[in-house]
Amino acid sequence: MIISNPSYRRLWGIGIASTTMRWMETVALGIFVFELTGSPFWVAVVGFLRMVPMFIFGPFVGLISDRMNRKILMGSGMATLACVYSIMGFLVVVGQIELWHICVGATVAGVMWSTDFPVRRAMIGDVVGAEGISTAIGIDMATSNFSRVIGPLGAGAFLATLGVQAAYFSGAILFGTGAVLAFSMPYVAPLYKSGPRSGYFANLSEGLRHVRADRIIIVTIIITVVLNTFGFPYQHMVPVIGAETLKIGPLLIGALLASEGMGATIGSLTIALKARSSGYTRVYAAGSIGFLAAIFLFSLSPSFWMALPIMFIGGFAVSGFATMQSIIVITSTPMEIRGRVLGVLAAAIGTGPFGALIVGGLALMWGANSAVTAMALVGFALTTLTLLMWPSFLRSSPSPD
């Protein structure tokens, strides 16, 4: 049984801690920065800084992941984040926090988070093997998605009562726990790492060549870029839309994103129990289209009670995209270059910051609701076009070369 594997249990726990804080920070900083500046653009800028390191460093981290002990890389990243959040919480307590501190903290956190796909997800593939990867990723995504319920609700409650420092100190505790789990893991680096080494660009090119040669992976990467550029940036505008259009406070803003997380949790559990390899690509495509449609409807919602079920449906849909994304890439890639290919995937996910800047700029000109509407429509059109250009993707079954 997957859950009886001690290394997997620790990787699972680290994923829960990391995702809980990521979503807590999304809400907490979105509300805090909007209150501090009154500008949706600065909210988007902070989101950009949290995400752009994945675009810049994803392939590099993937290469390192294939050449160094992943356990040490992950544990060091968790410990660094615990220190960063402790410092940020202290600055809030003494009343010295400034916008530039928030920007620096978000950037450092982004650098550490860029390791999740090429390090932690690659380690899951190492410890469970190809036969257990679907269940392992499905469980990991389900519990990580449940942390998207806890994180936003916790952020809303903290901001309504104790202040943003409570969110930062919670992050310090969560990542400190993650560091302990990582360093205590009974994980042994795979033997294929002892092979001959070449330069950075040669290794990166090897990962890119595998991506270009595999139709399933290339379509997965393209849709990943589209959703991260035109879909997920809507999350940075939820605090703005909540305050300006829906007229709700921090707690209900957190409830909106928590509703999406609950939908994603149920969707991931369904996938973990029901998904078969022959249907991976269809689930991925349907989840992508359904998520973009939900974002569009959310942007048009005039009230909290209308937006809440739409967010739940969007979360259920996006679980198909998010869960299958990792499974498709891992099961389509030989173990010896898995870190590099997951690094390319991390870079594709890292295009989200550019979408954050676009939605922030559009929000300044048109308002947050209209900006999200435009982004969702463009994302829907590009995803549909991609699937029409490669219709065989929907009939494909991933398998490593």
Side-chain angles (χ1 to χ4, degrees):
M1 186 177 180
I2 295 296
I3 203 67
S4 66
N5 185 313
S7 291
Y8 176 72
R9 284 201 305 270
R10 285 171 172 78
L11 291 166
W12 181 34
I14 291 167
I16 294 171
S18 179
T19 311
T20 297
M21 188 55 211
R22 190 175 307 180
W23 283 95
M24 186 182 297
E25 189 180 50
T26 296
V27 177
L29 287 190
I31 296 172
F32 185 64
V33 172
F34 189 60
E35 291 176 347
L36 191 66
T37 66
S39 170
F41 183 72
W42 274 110
V43 175
V45 168
V46 172
F48 172 86
L49 293 173
R50 288 174 68 232
M51 297 168 65
V52 75
M54 187 174 288
F55 176 77
I56 297 172
F57 298 113
F60 179 68
V61 173
L63 172 59
I64 294 175
S65 172
D66 282 340
R67 296 306 187 198
M68 293 180 62
N69 190 311
R70 290 169 178 159
K71 168 180 167 178
I72 301 301
L73 288 174
M74 186 168 55
S76 300
M78 294 289 107
T80 300
L81 282 172
C83 293
V84 168
Y85 283 100
S86 296
I87 293 170
M88 297 298 290
F90 174 76
L91 288 172
V92 176
V93 169
V94 299
Q96 298 297 314
I97 192 74
E98 297 180 14
L99 183 60
W100 74 267
H101 293 137
I102 295 171
C103 291
V104 171
T107 303
V108 175
V111 172
M112 296 301 105
W113 282 335
S114 68
T115 66
D116 187 67
F117 274 83
V119 178
R120 192 180 71 88
R121 293 287 175 87
M123 289 175 72
I124 290 177
D126 291 341
V127 301
V128 304
E131 67 282 354
I133 191 64
S134 177
T135 301
I137 295 293
I139 293 172
D140 182 69
M141 288 301 303
T143 50
S144 293
N145 283 328
F146 186 68
S147 70
R148 293 169 59 182
V149 178
I150 301 170
L153 287 178
F158 285 150
L159 265 71
T161 54
L162 302 176
V164 73
Q165 65 268 29
Y168 277 130
F169 286 134
S170 295
I173 294 170
L174 287 170
F175 287 119
T177 302
V180 172
L181 289 174
F183 286 122
S184 66
M185 186 183 307
Y187 171 81
V188 178
L191 295 176
Y192 60 76
K193 294 185 179 186
S194 61
R197 303 186 180 195
S198 54
Y200 167 71
F201 290 105
N203 280 283
L204 177 58
S205 296
E206 185 178 356
L208 289 172
R209 280 197 301 272
H210 181 79
V211 169
R212 287 196 301 268
D214 191 304
R215 180 189 62 255
I216 296 177
I217 295 182
I218 196 67
V219 175
T220 302
I221 294 292
I222 291 171
I223 294 177
T224 294
V225 170
V226 171
L227 260 69
N228 280 275
T229 304
F230 298 101
F232 292 114
Y234 97 96
Q235 293 160 350
H236 303 296
M237 293 296 106
V238 171
V240 180
I241 292 172
E244 291 188 336
T245 303
L246 305 180
K247 308 299 182 184
I248 57 178
L251 192 58
L252 292 184
I253 290 173
L256 277 177
L257 284 169
S259 177
E260 182 192 319
M262 181 59 72
T265 302
I266 294 173
S268 296
L269 286 172
T270 302
I271 290 169
L273 294 172
K274 302 290 186 180
R276 299 292 180 267
S277 60
S278 59
Y280 287 172
T281 55
R282 289 191 293 275
V283 172
Y284 181 78
S288 303
I289 292 291
F291 175 59
L292 291 164
I295 294 172
F296 173 76
L297 293 174
F298 167 75
S299 70
L300 302 178
S301 300
S303 71
F304 169 78
W305 295 109
M306 184 176 292
L308 194 67
I310 292 172
M311 293 286 278
F312 178 87
I313 294 168
F316 187 90
V318 82
S319 67
F321 164 83
T323 305
M324 288 300 121
Q325 180 188 66
S326 297
I327 293 174
I328 289 170
V329 173
I330 290 173
T331 56
S332 299
T333 306
M335 289 183 66
E336 63 271 15
I337 62 168
R338 189 170 286 163
R340 275 159 280 185
V341 176
L342 285 169
V344 176
L345 176 62
I349 295 169
T351 56
F354 303 103
L357 289 183
I358 294 170
V359 78
L362 292 176
L364 279 179
M365 296 186 296
W366 301 341
N369 291 76
S370 297
V372 173
T373 300
M375 296 284 280
L377 287 173
V378 172
F380 189 92
L382 291 176
T383 302
T384 302
L385 179 62
T386 300
L387 294 173
L388 290 174
M389 290 177 63
W390 285 281
S392 60
F393 176 77
L394 299 176
R395 302 187 296 271
S396 302
S397 298
S399 60
D401 291 343

